[in-house]
Structures are given as structure tokens and as C-alpha cells.
């Protein structure tokens, strides 16, 4: 069967732009292919009613398709809209298979953790998950832009890990009912809480989260903000449109943190999102982002 050479446009809500008009036209197809690969794998891991064993089996088949696409071997009939464009992008831009495979290992870990009702021991374990679930996207984009120095890679990792953490703290009211526990046990313990307490604070149901739970989210928001600020200087070192695109990504993440703060850090029962009304503010912040600006903290809301 014929395979499409260009990935379809994203159909999911996203915090941050994907292959937007700021992206150079020649890079839009590979960026869209990477997005489609990651989004579809995430849906396999996270959407629908399939049992864990079926999800794991599908991801193993997905991994085999990735290997085929990377080696130039024949592709199966499954997921042609993903692996047709991805195989083309791998050929045209020498995308590293290892980074794409890291994403799949993180999705597999998500399934296994959810199946076992398991959480993360500490921040280091959670950052290892981010290293595979988020950081590869930034590194793949830097690869497309021809940027590979150690400082840029480290700053990209900081931004991507921050975005992943922001998504976790934004989505507590969604993840907890699904049995996903991203708040590390050590962080819970430092606020006198346990995973069992998290199960009790399910969205829109009594009891309301106590002050210790609110303080816990506030601490995680501060951690994510610090990590984003650590990586933010990368926006000044990427060429042309890439730097402007990244400015919007950085400020999109910081805006979500501002919205969590405006909710009194109660994402146990509410989920803040970005919308069209945020666009003018994001554009203003992006234009004000200067090379020598101090570390970014909360902006006026």
C-alpha cells in the first residue's frame, strides 16, 4: 500500500505550538512526522479501554516499525500515516533512532507504572523519566537545526524536562483518577503526605486537599519554574525562527505555571489550559525577552 510522505496536522489540544508558521518550511514535514510518531505512541499508551498487556504488545509492534523505518526495511500495514512520513524524515535528516526509541521506553514505563499503581521515589527518578519522555523531542529539534554543542543540549533538556513537569502539575486532576502518580514519594513525605492521600484527593470529590497538599504543588511549581529558567538562555542561541519559536514554548510553559499559581496551586480539582486569550500576553512577553534579562519569575497576571 502507498504510504503518505507528510504527517497529518495535530488533532489534540497542546500547550505549545507544533510545526507552527515560525518553523522554516523545509523543517515542517520532519517536525510533523516526529510529532505524529510521539502523539500516536502516547495515545497507544494512554487512550481508550485496552488492557495493559494489549498496550504493551502494541508498543512492541510500534518499536519494530520504528526499527524498520530507521533501517529502510519494508513497513507493515499498521500506522502508515505515522511511519511513512517518519521513514522519509529519517532518510532526509538522519534522525537518530535512539532518541525516538527513548520516547517509546517512557510510554512503556507509564503503562507499567499505572498497571502496578506505582509512583516515583524521588525527583531523580522522575527526571530520568523526563529524560526519555520529553528531552528527546528537544534534542531531535536541535538536530534538525544543526545545533549539537553540549551547552545547548543541556539547556534544551532543562526546558523539555520543565515542560514535562509542568504538564504533570497541570494535570493532577486528570492523572490521579487514572492511577498515574507523578508526585515523587520523597516530595509527598516532606509535606506529610503519601500516595494514599493522593488517591483521596480525587477531583471534585471530598475531602478538599489540605494546606499541605497545596504547599506540595507550590513546591513542584517552583521546581519547574527554576528548571525552565535554567534552560531559557537557549532562546538567544538558536538561529532565526527557531529562537522565536522557542521563546513562545518557554513562555507558554511559564504561563501555565502562572495559571496554577492563580488557582491557589489547587490543580487537584482544576486543570488550567492555554487558550486564544493568552496569545497577546505571550506575544508581549516574547518581545520583551532580552538576552541580558534577569531570571524570569511570575509575570503580572
Amino acid at each position: 500500500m502507498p504510504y503518505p510522505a507528510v504527517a497529518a496536522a495535530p488533532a489534540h489540544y497542546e500547550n505549545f505550538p507544533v510545526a507552527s508558521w515560525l518553523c522554516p518550511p523545509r523543517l515542517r514535514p520532519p517536525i510533523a512526522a516526529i510529532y505524529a510518531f510521539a502523539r500516536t505512541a502516547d495515545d497507544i499508551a494512554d487512550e481508550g479501554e485496552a488492557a495493559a498487556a494489549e498496550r504493551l504488545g502494541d508498543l512492541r509492534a510500534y518499536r519494530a516499525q520504528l526499527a524498520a523505518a530507521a533501517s529502510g526495511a519494508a513497513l507493515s500495514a499498521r500506522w502508515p500515516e505515522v511511519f511513512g512520513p517518519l521513514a522519509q524524515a529519517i532518510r532526509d535528516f538522519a534522525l537518530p533512532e535512539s532518541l525516538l526509541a527513548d520516547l517509546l521506553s517512557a510510554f512503556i514505563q507509564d503503562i507499567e507504572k499505572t498497571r502496578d499503581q506505582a509512583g516515583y521515589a524521588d525527583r531523580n527518578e522522575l527526571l530520568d523519566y523526563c529524560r526519555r519522555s520529553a528531552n528527546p523531542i528537544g534534542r531531535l529539534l536541535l538536530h534538525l537545526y544543526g545545533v549539537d554543542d553540549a551547552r545547548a543540549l543541556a539547556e534544551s533538556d532543562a526546558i523539555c524536562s520543565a515542560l514535562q513537569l509542568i504538564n504533570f502539575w497541570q494535570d493532577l486532576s486528570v492523572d490521579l483518577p487514572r492511577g498515574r502518580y507523578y508526585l515523587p514519594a520523597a516530595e509527598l513525605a516532606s509535606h506529610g503526605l503519601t500516595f494514599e492521600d493522593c488517591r483521596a484527593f480525587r477531583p471534585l470529590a471530598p475531602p478538599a486537599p489540605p494546606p499541605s497538599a497545596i504547599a506540595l504543588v507550590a513546591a513542584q511549581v517552583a521546581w519547574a519554574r527554576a528548571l525552565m529558567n535554567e534552560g531559557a538562555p537557549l532562546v538567544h542561541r538558536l538561529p532565526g525562527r527557531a529562537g522565536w519559536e522557542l521563546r513562545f514554548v518557554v513562555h507558554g510553559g511559564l504561563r501555565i505555571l502562572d495559571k496554577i499559581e492563580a488557582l491557589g496551586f489547587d490543580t487537584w480539582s482544576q486543570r488550567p489550559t492555554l487558550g486564544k486569550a493568552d496569545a497577546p500576553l505571550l506575544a508581549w512577553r516574547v518581545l520583551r525577552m532580552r538576552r541580558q534579562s534577569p531570571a524570569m519569575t511570575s509575570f503580572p497576571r
Side-chain angles (χ1 to χ4, degrees), residues 132-148:
R132 290 171 289 119
S133 69
N135 297 5
I137 297 296
R139 289 184 172 235
L140 285 163
L141 294 177
L142 289 184
H143 174 85
L144 290 173
Y145 281 104
V147 177
D148 61 2

Side-chain angles (χ1 to χ4, degrees), residues 155-170:
E155 289 173 345
S156 173
D157 288 348
I159 290 171
C160 291
S161 288
L163 291 174
Q164 181 70 88
L165 294 175
I166 290 166
N167 185 249
F168 291 155
W169 316 146
Q170 173 190 22

Side-chain angles (χ1 to χ4, degrees), residues 1-69:
M1 64 175 292
Y3 286 82
V6 179
H12 289 258
Y13 165 84
E14 298 293 335
N15 280 347
F16 312 109
V18 178
S20 78
W21 61 272
L22 282 174
C23 176
R26 76 178 189 89
L27 296 184
R28 290 175 192 166
I31 290 174
I34 292 167
Y35 172 84
F37 170 82
R39 182 73 263 176
T40 301
D42 192 29
D43 286 348
I44 292 170
D46 204 34
E47 299 296 328
E49 302 299 326
E54 182 180 348
R55 295 181 192 276
L56 291 170
D58 283 345
L59 282 179
R60 284 192 289 269
Y62 203 78
R63 177 64 180 90
Q65 282 285 80
L66 170 60

Side-chain angles (χ1 to χ4, degrees), residues 88-105:
Q88 186 70 44
I90 291 172
R91 288 194 298 270
D92 292 347
F93 295 91
L95 299 180
E97 179 186 358
S98 61
L99 293 176
L100 296 164
D102 278 347
L103 293 170
L104 299 187
S105 77

Side-chain angles (χ1 to χ4, degrees), residues 13 15 167 170-171 173-174 263 266-267 269-273:
Y13 165 84
N15 280 347
N167 185 249
Q170 173 190 22
D171 277 356
S173 66
V174 176
L263 292 174
D266 182 13
T267 51
S269 56
Q270 303 171 79
R271 182 181 185 268
T273 61

Side-chain angles (χ1 to χ4, degrees), residues 119-237:
Y120 290 81
D122 52 30
R123 287 186 175 184
N124 286 337
E125 186 182 3
L126 190 59
L127 285 175
D128 178 69
Y129 172 81
C130 295
R131 178 187 62 78
R132 290 171 289 119
S133 69
N135 297 5
I137 297 296
R139 289 184 172 235
L140 285 163
L141 294 177
L142 289 184
H143 174 85
L144 290 173
Y145 281 104
V147 177
D148 61 2
D149 65 276
R151 179 181 169 190
L153 292 173
E155 289 173 345
S156 173
D157 288 348
I159 290 171
C160 291
S161 288
L163 291 174
Q164 181 70 88
L165 294 175
I166 290 166
N167 185 249
F168 291 155
W169 316 146
Q170 173 190 22
D171 277 356
L172 288 178
S173 66
V174 176
D175 288 333
L176 289 175
R178 303 176 78 171
R180 293 200 162 176
Y181 304 105
Y182 294 111
L183 288 162
E187 298 296 303
L188 288 162
S190 71
H191 289 79
L193 298 167
T194 66
F195 286 125
E196 288 302 322
D197 291 320
C198 290
R199 295 183 180 101
F201 307 149
R202 294 201 170 185
L204 306 180
S212 58
I214 298 300
L216 170 63
V217 175
Q220 307 321 301
V221 165
W223 175 31
R225 191 183 295 278
L227 199 56
M228 183 67 83
N229 288 337
E230 181 183 323
L234 180 62
V235 306
H236 304 299
R237 302 175 59 234

